[in-house]
Amino acid sequence: MAPPTLTPEQREAALAKAREARRARMALLARISSGEETIRSVLQRAHSDPVVGKVKVSQLVRAIPGYGPAKTEALLEGVGITGGRRAGGLGSRQREALLTALS
């Protein structure tokens, strides 16, 4: 199936919306890195906030100081969360297992 044909105005609007979403996700990860926001508070908003819900769990964990790719992968594997899982798609048990493993 071919993607829909967009007018130049529609294309520009879609690109602007995508840029804004990327900026919001980057700001969220920066707040986690700086300690302004905790993973617990972010995961509580995951179902109601579309920006938070679309961030991969691996990116959220990797934003925590001291967690690199290897440590993040081991943590997520230990709690049974696949690497591509998004924050909005976590179930309550997965969320609690992740928070327990991080504390």
Side-chain angles (χ1 to χ4, degrees):
M1 182 172 175
T5 305
L6 300 176
T7 65
E9 294 83 20
Q10 290 173 322
R11 179 172 161 67
E12 186 56 40
L15 290 172
K17 184 178 176 182
R19 273 193 303 272
E20 184 57 37
R22 282 192 301 275
R23 281 189 194 117
R25 286 192 298 270
M26 292 297 287
L28 172 70
L29 296 175
R31 286 194 307 271
I32 292 170
S33 292
S34 68
E36 293 175 39
E37 205 157 347
T38 65
I39 291 291
R40 181 174 296 277
S41 68
V42 170
L43 290 178
Q44 287 173 346
R45 294 196 330 254
H47 291 299
S48 61
D49 187 348
V51 171
V52 176
K54 291 185 180 182
V55 176
K56 290 185 179 181
V57 176
S58 60
Q59 287 180 309
L60 290 174
V61 173
R62 203 173 302 158
I64 300 171
Y67 281 86
K71 196 171 180 181
T72 298
E73 185 179 334
L75 173 79
L76 293 179
E77 187 177 303
V79 295
I81 299 173
T82 59
R85 191 72 164 193
R86 298 193 184 269
L90 288 180
S92 59
R93 289 184 182 151
Q94 288 177 317
R95 189 171 39 253
E96 285 306 314
L98 178 62
L99 292 172
T100 301
L102 287 171
S103 59

